[in-house]
Amino acid sequence: MLRTPVAEALGAASAASEIRIGGWVRTRRDAKGFSFLELNDGSCLGNIQCIVDEGTAAWDKLEGVNTGACVAVTGELVESPGKGQKWEVRAKDMTVFGLADPETFPLQKKRHSDEFLRTIAHLRSRTNKYGAAFRIRAEAAHAVHDFFYQNGFYYVHTPILTGSDCEGAGEMFRVTTLPLNTPVKPGENPYAQDFFGKECSLTVSGQLEAEALALGLGKVYTFGPTFRAENSNTPRHAAEFWMIEPEVAFTDINDNMDLAESLTCFVINRVLERRADDMDLFDRFVDKGLVDRLKGMVAQPFARCSYREAIDILKASGKNFEYPAKFGLDLQTEHERFLAEEHFKRPVAVYDYPKEIKAFYMRQNDDRETVAAMDVLVPRIGELIGGSQREERLDVLESRIREMNQDPANYWWYLDLRRFGSVPHSGFGMGFERLVMMLTGISNIRDALPFPRTPGSLEF
Ligand code: 4AD
Ligand code: MG
């Protein structure tokens, strides 16, 4: 079923005597002796206008063709006399693949709310906004791979089914093949009869395995789905999200912040360059000034400040935060946004957090109070990236694991990496949906991924 993508037809260098366009009807307007069909095929934001004249074979098939129907129009690509588009199709013939009853098709030609469109997520890629969002998402993913490829990283695949809790936050989805209510004898391993013979969960991060691979391959990254059973209903948290996790041997926390900044800027530039039409939609209808703000982000270096400085800035701000800003407490979204949006007015990497609020694997600083952690905070979102230099010293890592009341024996292979040929290394995790939110101005994570999973919501 040969067809020319609408993006290609709209950008054609010259007219064509025969072209076939397949797409979904966005609108149909009837006039005396002819009809206009606006077709969109997802290849770009724009529609192509098809004129169906009375007397053509196409005209005879117009019955019931309305918004939402899927058709293929064959005709001539001619210069459009109308404004707004260079080319249009003068239809000769048409194949009608699927009609859409206007009484029941939910996407009529009007503006629908994001909340409503979430209830029809299976159809929302046929709207301008979500078509644009998912094209930008695809472009950003491609940019991530290009960035790492160009910089000599290997794309590695870390497991999704796992027996370890990387973040130690206990927010894992359990995976089992046991029937519900399987009785457990007292004193017996409750997972003895289960598929793996031990507790299995969906991964919260590929980091631990990425570290193992970095200590053999040098520079690696994973880019895959991760899962968190945090019961927090916020516009920034999803139960299933995608994470980009580079891990690099022979690097410290400063190298890590440099890498985070270059990756972020690379993706911004790429999306602005290659998806200008889609970005323009977000700039005009979703988040005014978005494109200029993104250009501003890449025009100057990100700010950097220690957690200690950040706390001082927050205390001196005179702002009435809901949560206190105090050394030893984690930064809340309101703090993160204040720092990026109002204080620095650009992305900021905050480093050297108190060890109590960070994960066991982060490298202890000489002050013994902080660890070489870094978070990149961006305007409107807060935390985009979280990472650290990793603890490469066996004895320090073992005692950190014990301090967290964990058994080092469970981390035998992770500790082996420090036993055999250890080296300073670092990495981070970038939340891909948060990146898409930053790129588009979309304010709810439920709209940055096609089929969001959040507490109480598992449709589609
Ligand atoms: O800060 P986090 O928890 O870091 C880690 O998981 C590290 N193991 C990553 C590493 O160093 N390799 O998560 C990293 C990022 C966050 O900065 C945030 O952007 C995103 O993942 N994230 C979420 N995105 C959507 N929904 C959630 N529930 C998220 N939790 C974290
Ligand atoms: Mg974090």
Side-chain angles (χ1 to χ4, degrees):
M1 288 207 262
L2 279 183
R3 65 183 175 99
T4 303
V6 171
E8 216 173 281
L10 291 175
S14 57
S17 57
E18 176 93 7
I19 192 168
R20 186 167 194 252
I21 303 282
W24 290 268
V25 176
R26 283 295 175 81
T27 51
R28 168 179 171 175
R29 282 174 295 132
D30 293 334
K32 197 163 164 41
F34 61 96
S35 270
F36 291 109
L37 295 180
E38 294 272 347
L39 294 190
N40 186 286
D41 69 353
S43 59
C44 64
L45 184 66
N47 304 326
I48 196 157
Q49 175 164 283
C50 303
I51 322 282
V52 184
D53 287 309
E54 194 170 342
T56 60
W59 175 267
D60 297 335
K61 296 173 184 162
L62 272 177
E63 176 78 30
V65 171
N66 285 307
T67 300
C70 186
V71 301
V73 170
T74 317
E76 218 180 318
L77 187 71
V78 298
E79 254 179 89
S80 175
K83 59 173 168 33
Q85 73 266 327
K86 182 152 187 265
W87 302 107
E88 63 186 25
V89 176
R90 283 219 98 91
K92 292 179 191 150
D93 205 351
M94 175 165 72
T95 310
V96 178
F97 290 108
L99 296 177
D101 182 352
E103 293 295 314
T104 49
F105 181 60
L107 283 178
Q108 293 306 323
K109 182 89 192 167
K110 63 166 190 164
R111 211 146 164 188
H112 297 287
S113 72
D114 292 324
E115 289 74 16
F116 170 70
L117 290 171
R118 263 173 235 152
T119 68
I120 51 164
H122 58 304
L123 295 172
R124 68 179 173 170
S125 64
R126 295 195 212 167
T127 65
N128 283 343
K129 178 174 169 182
Y130 289 91
F134 301 145
R135 280 188 296 273
I136 290 169
R137 191 182 158 106
E139 195 69 57
H142 203 103
V144 165
H145 289 298
D146 280 354
F147 172 84
F148 286 119
Y149 190 78
Q150 287 174 18
N151 287 284
F153 283 70
Y154 295 110
Y155 176 31
V156 297
H157 304 92
T158 50
I160 288 172
L161 298 176
T162 179
S164 46
D165 181 358
C166 172
E167 293 304 295
E171 292 167 336
M172 304 184 76
F173 286 101
R174 191 178 301 155
V175 179
T176 178
T177 53
L178 291 178
L180 281 175
N181 302 322
T182 303
V184 182
K185 291 198 196 92
E188 196 180 86
N189 166 16
Y191 305 100
Q193 302 303 316
D194 208 348
F195 191 90
F196 296 106
K198 62 185 275 195
E199 184 170 10
C200 173
S201 307
L202 295 177
T203 190
V204 296
S205 160
Q207 179 196 322
L208 303 187
E209 292 90 351
E211 280 186 57
L213 293 162
L215 268 57
L217 294 167
K219 295 160 79 167
V220 302
Y221 72 104
T222 72
F223 184 177
T226 46
F227 307 86
R228 303 224 175 154
E230 336 173 53
N231 209 346
S232 50
N233 240 316
T234 82
R236 275 170 284 276
H237 290 87
E240 176 177 323
F241 62 99
W242 285 64
M243 199 170 8
I244 299 143
E245 297 185 275
E247 198 64 42
V248 195
F250 308 100
T251 58
D252 64 15
I253 186 163
N254 292 310
D255 303 317
N256 203 30
M257 288 190 279
D258 290 345
L259 180 67
E261 185 169 336
S262 336
L263 169 65
T264 310
C265 293
F266 183 93
V267 178
I268 293 175
N269 282 327
R270 175 63 75 79
V271 166
L272 288 175
E273 186 186 301
R274 298 207 182 162
R275 292 252 66 100
D277 283 9
D278 292 324
M279 289 302 292
D280 183 56
L281 175 144
F282 284 100
D283 190 67
R284 281 166 45 188
F285 301 115
V286 176
D287 186 3
K288 293 235 163 13
L290 170 73
V291 167
D292 280 343
R293 278 203 309 279
L294 289 170
K295 285 182 179 160
M297 269 190 208
V298 296
Q300 56 176 333
F302 292 3
R304 288 187 193 182
C305 87
S306 70
Y307 166 90
R308 200 179 287 278
E309 289 162 337
I311 295 292
D312 289 342
I313 292 168
L314 292 166
K315 279 186 177 158
S317 70
K319 284 260 166 183
N320 216 339
F321 294 115
E322 191 184 335
Y323 294 91
K326 189 168 159 244
F327 192 95
L329 298 182
D330 210 355
L331 297 181
Q332 300 294 323
T333 302
E334 56 176 347
H335 305 136
E336 297 174 338
R337 289 188 55 176
F338 172 81
L339 290 168
E341 245 162 84
E342 295 183 48
H343 185 80
F344 291 105
K345 299 189 169 56
R346 59 193 154 124
V348 51
V350 178
Y351 55 87
D352 292 350
Y353 284 72
K355 66 176 180 183
E356 286 77 19
I357 57 171
K358 289 291 181 185
F360 72 93
Y361 51 71
M362 298 191 177
R363 191 179 196 279
Q364 211 168 110
N365 288 323
D366 292 342
D367 63 11
R368 299 180 142 263
E369 195 179 10
T370 60
V371 287
M374 66 100 187
D375 278 5
V376 177
L377 317 177
V378 299
R380 295 187 173 219
I381 289 163
E383 182 187 338
L384 169 69
I385 292 174
S388 72
Q389 186 173 336
R390 317 308 188 189
E391 184 56 74
E392 85 282 12
R393 297 161 297 188
L394 180 63
D395 53 335
V396 185
L397 184 57
E398 273 180 333
S399 59
R400 281 296 287 150
I401 293 175
R402 285 204 187 86
E403 267 171 46
M404 302 213 163
N405 295 319
Q406 299 264 343
D407 183 1
N410 293 338
Y411 293 92
W412 67 271
W413 63 268
Y414 189 68
L415 292 166
D416 263 4
L417 303 172
R418 280 75 183 164
R419 257 179 218 117
F420 309 123
S422 191
V423 63
H425 62 286
S426 64
F428 61 79
M430 173 191 268
F432 187 54
E433 284 69 27
R434 294 198 187 170
L435 176 71
V436 172
M437 291 168 74
M438 184 189 83
L439 292 168
T440 56
I442 285 176
S443 56
N444 194 315
I445 197 163
R446 290 165 181 77
D447 302 329
L449 73 179
F451 299 102
R453 274 77 178 89
T454 50
S457 163
L458 188 65
E459 203 56 72
F460 312 106

